[in-house]
Amino acid sequence: MNLTLADKVVYEEEIQKSRFIAKAAPVASEEEALAFLAENREPEATHNGYAYKIGLLYRFSDDGEPSGTAGKPILHAIEAQGLDRVAVLVVRYFGGIKLGAGGLVQAYSDTAAATLDAARLVRRSRVRE
């Protein structure tokens, strides 16, 4: 994996009346990933699910969504595109319609993937991990 994001990117989508706002950024360290997440989370939102991957280190959170329905799909979107040193936050404002576990996985996965698709990618320099 030698691709990362050139810069921050934001993408928004409405899915069955819920608003999903995804924010992604290149990160060089776990500290940088945590700072990005802290600066970009929206406390008034219903959920702030995230994932980040830096070499062999990865973390994710469902932030109150049912287990495995937000963080893991976001991480999968990062890995599916072969990206590294990337953090993705997906903010959800609940719109009144329950999506169910499958619908949540699809919504978080699709929103994260669309965000990464919209990003300009660059090859990262080889750094020893």
Side-chain angles (χ1 to χ4, degrees):
M1 291 189 209
N2 58 0
L3 292 176
T4 192
L5 305 182
D7 204 355
K8 294 179 182 174
V9 63
V10 177
Y11 174 83
E12 186 172 334
E13 185 172 352
E14 185 174 305
I15 300 171
Q16 293 192 17
K17 297 190 179 183
S18 283
R19 198 166 110 212
F20 289 83
I21 304 164
K23 305 170 187 185
V27 293
S29 66
E30 185 170 28
E31 293 76 22
E32 211 173 291
L34 293 172
F36 167 77
L37 296 169
E39 291 166 9
N40 288 279
R41 73 181 318 275
E42 297 184 18
E44 66 280 5
T46 314
H47 303 282
N48 284 269
Y50 70 83
Y52 59 86
K53 181 170 182 356
I54 304 160
L56 298 176
L57 173 69
Y58 63 90
R59 298 279 186 271
F60 55 85
S61 170
D62 296 317
D63 190 42
E65 294 283 25
S67 181
T69 61
K72 280 186 181 179
I74 297 167
L75 179 62
H76 178 73
I78 294 169
E79 292 175 331
Q81 295 196 25
L83 300 177
D84 192 15
R85 300 185 182 281
V86 173
V88 179
L89 171 69
V90 180
V91 177
R92 178 185 182 204
Y93 288 90
F94 181 61
I97 297 174
K98 292 188 177 187
L99 303 180
L104 287 171
V105 168
Q106 192 71 50
Y108 279 98
S109 178
D110 289 353
T111 304
T115 304
L116 297 172
D117 285 342
R120 188 169 62 85
L121 304 180
V122 294
R123 290 203 182 283
R124 67 180 185 84
S125 59
R126 292 267 182 210
V127 177
R128 208 171 156 179
E129 297 180 21

